[in-house]
Amino acid sequence: HKSTKTYAPYNEIMAYAIILTNSYTTPSVFYGDMWRSDATYMSTKTCYYRYISYLCKIRTRYCYGGQNIIFHTSNTSSGAAGYDLVSSTRFGLNSETGMILVVSNNPDVATTISVYTGEYHAGQTYMNIFSHQREIATVSDSGYITLEIVGNISYAVYGHLSVWVP
């Protein structure tokens, strides 16, 4: 549960968010990421268990339709788009499905991005379901949503991770 890792990799939750929401992959969840491998089989959950299981539930509820990946510039990058900020939009099949994933591996990121959500979502409100503050944003009539992106450091995320759903 430390924000400064000694042995575990940074951004394991972020990696699963990318894998589980990507339309171009057949995802797998590894036993050792959800359950302690030094304990009796499936007896002790890891600190990542609730995040990974939540992402699996989110996938079945919202993760449908075409996908668009955008490499954004940020306040910290060298000017190269995608250096430390990427969004992935799943457009959904109707107004109740679809998702926006925003990831950054830089805790100093602090910027605003605009993402196209698709025609189904014009005028809808999206909520960041990975936020403790329940952030919301509204899609414009032209189908774009403006998101404020702020990095942080915690045991689960080093940088920024947000998952926005209608």
Side-chain angles (χ1 to χ4, degrees), residues 15 29 45 58 66 71 99 102 110 121 135-137 142 146:
V29 176
K45 297 173 184 175
I58 291 167
F71 300 112
M99 167 190 300
V102 182
H121 303 292
E135 301 166 276
I136 59 170
S142 59
T146 301

Side-chain angles (χ1 to χ4, degrees), residues 20 26 36 49 53 65 82 86 96 100 111 142 161-162:
L20 292 172
T26 302
R36 297 272 312 258
Y49 176 89
S53 61
V86 177
E96 295 180 8
I100 302 165
T111 193
S142 59
L161 169 63
S162 57

Side-chain angles (χ1 to χ4, degrees), residues 4-166:
T4 304
K5 306 294 185 191
T6 305
Y7 303 107
Y10 283 97
N11 291 328
E12 194 164 332
I13 305 305
M14 193 180 300
Y16 272 106
I18 293 167
I19 291 167
L20 292 172
T21 62
N22 195 329
S23 68
Y24 305 108
T25 63
T26 302
S28 296
V29 176
F30 298 101
Y31 175 85
D33 293 334
M34 296 205 41
W35 303 95
R36 297 272 312 258
S37 57
D38 61 348
T40 305
Y41 183 71
M42 294 180 79
S43 64
T44 308
K45 297 173 184 175
T46 67
C47 60
Y48 304 121
Y49 176 89
R50 72 181 176 118
Y51 294 102
I52 297 171
S53 61
Y54 191 46
L55 284 165
C56 289
K57 290 176 188 169
I58 291 167
R59 175 184 171 79
T60 62
R61 171 70 178 91
Y62 297 102
C63 202
Y64 295 98
Q67 182 173 15
N68 187 30
I69 298 170
I70 301 173
F71 300 112
H72 300 275
T73 56
S74 77
N75 62 305
T76 62
S77 69
S78 63
Y83 178 76
D84 62 0
L85 184 59
V86 177
S87 69
S88 172
T89 303
R90 296 296 301 270
F91 295 114
L93 301 175
N94 53 41
S95 63
E96 295 180 8
T97 60
M99 167 190 300
I100 302 165
L101 170 69
V102 182
V103 295
S104 173
N105 62 353
N106 189 336
D108 296 326
V109 70
T111 193
T112 302
I113 62 172
S114 180
V115 178
Y116 183 67
T117 62
E119 60 189 49
Y120 296 124
H121 303 292
Q124 278 191 297
T125 300
Y126 269 60
M127 179 174 60
N128 178 5
I129 56 177
F130 259 62
S131 170
H132 298 291
Q133 302 155 339
R134 293 294 187 206
E135 301 166 276
I136 59 170
T138 303
V139 179
S140 71
D141 290 338
S142 59
Y144 284 87
I145 190 167
T146 301
L147 305 174
E148 188 175 330
I149 308 303
V150 177
N152 70 348
I153 298 173
S154 72
Y155 79 91
V157 176
Y158 184 87
H160 177 87
L161 169 63
S162 57
V163 179
W164 299 82
V165 297

